[in-house]
Amino acid sequence: HVQLVESGGGSVQAGGSLRLSCAASGVPYPYRRRCFGWFRRAPGREREGVSCIDLRYGYTSYADSMKGRFTISRDDARQTVSLQMNSLRVEDTAMYYCAAEPSPVPQPLALHEYRHWGRGTQVTVS
C-alpha cells in the first residue's frame, strides 16, 4: 500500500516562507529511483505542477512562476523530499500535493505522469 504524506503546510503572511515535506512508504521502487513532484490546486483552479526532482538523474524542474522563490530538495537519510517556499504570494494559496513515480518521468510537471499521490497539505497566504 503506497502512502505519501505531506507536512508543513499552514498560514503565513505574504512575503513569508513555508517548508513542505513529503514522506513515502510502501512504494514498490527504490527511493533513489523515484521522481517526486509537487503540485497544487488553488480554489477554483485545476491542479498544476509546481516542482519536481528526479532522484536517479539528479535534475530538478520548476514551473515558471515558482522559479527563484521555491526550492525542491532531498534528504537521503530520511528519504524525504522538501519544498522550500519563499516570498509567498496570496496567489500561492492552494492545497499542495506530493506525487511519486519511477524515474524517468517524460513530463515531470504533468499530472498524468504520476500514479501515487498524497492527500495534500493546505497553504494559505494572506
Side-chain angles (χ1 to χ4, degrees), residues 14-37:
S17 299
L18 283 173
R19 186 178 182 87
L20 307 182
S21 291
C22 175
S25 61
V27 180
Y29 39 94
Y31 166 76
R32 293 181 183 272
R33 293 199 169 194
R34 298 171 192 169
C35 188
F36 282 94

Side-chain angles (χ1 to χ4, degrees), residues 58-102:
Y59 70 78
T60 60
S61 184
Y62 299 89
D64 287 344
S65 63
M66 289 72 170
K67 290 178 180 177
R69 299 190 301 126
F70 292 8
T71 303
I72 194 168
S73 62
R74 61 195 287 178
D75 184 335
D76 291 347
R78 298 182 179 183
Q79 296 197 359
T80 59
V81 170
S82 295
L83 183 70
Q84 177 68 39
M85 305 187 296
N86 298 328
S87 302
L88 283 164
R89 306 166 180 168
V90 173
E91 53 264 38
D92 293 319
T93 295
M95 184 71 79
Y96 284 73
Y97 300 88
C98 175
E101 188 66 22

Side-chain angles (χ1 to χ4, degrees), residues 2-3 14 22 41 43 48 50 60 74 99-100 122:
V2 176
Q3 188 173 21
C22 175
R41 174 177 281 166
E48 63 176 348
V50 173
T60 60
R74 61 195 287 178
Q122 178 68 38

Side-chain angles (χ1 to χ4, degrees), residues 108-120:
L109 290 180
L111 278 70
H112 70 268
E113 297 281 5
Y114 295 86
R115 290 171 293 169
H116 303 127
W117 290 83
R119 294 188 175 184

